[in-house]
Amino acid sequence: MAQAITSWFISDGRFCVHAIKAVGKQSARIVEIEDVETGERFHGSARKLQNMFLSLGSYGHGDPMTLHREA
């Protein structure tokens, strides 16, 4: 099954977030955060990247998808 990848900018365009959208039972998750100025890319677990995403001041910005996993 194919999954849709989406990207958007946060922190006034300084960072680009790349994520896989939720499809079926698969939850949405961030796969990479890129510093646009330096080209540095950050990888890691979905939880680590989500925490980084939130710490960058992304509240209320970007794609409206929910990145929390249901129990």
Side-chain angles (χ1 to χ4, degrees), residues 29-43:
R29 65 188 178 278
I30 296 173
V31 294
E32 180 179 80
I33 297 176
E34 177 183 1
D35 184 334
V36 175
E37 292 177 8
T38 65
E40 186 176 5
R41 295 173 181 229
F42 302 95
H43 300 95

Side-chain angles (χ1 to χ4, degrees), residues 2-41:
Q3 292 181 314
I5 295 179
T6 185
S7 299
W8 67 96
F9 293 98
I10 60 171
S11 299
D12 295 327
R14 178 159 182 207
F15 297 98
C16 183
V17 177
H18 305 282
I20 296 174
K21 287 188 172 186
V23 177
K25 292 184 179 183
Q26 297 285 337
S27 62
R29 65 188 178 278
I30 296 173
V31 294
E32 180 179 80
I33 297 176
E34 177 183 1
D35 184 334
V36 175
E37 292 177 8
T38 65
E40 186 176 5
R41 295 173 181 229

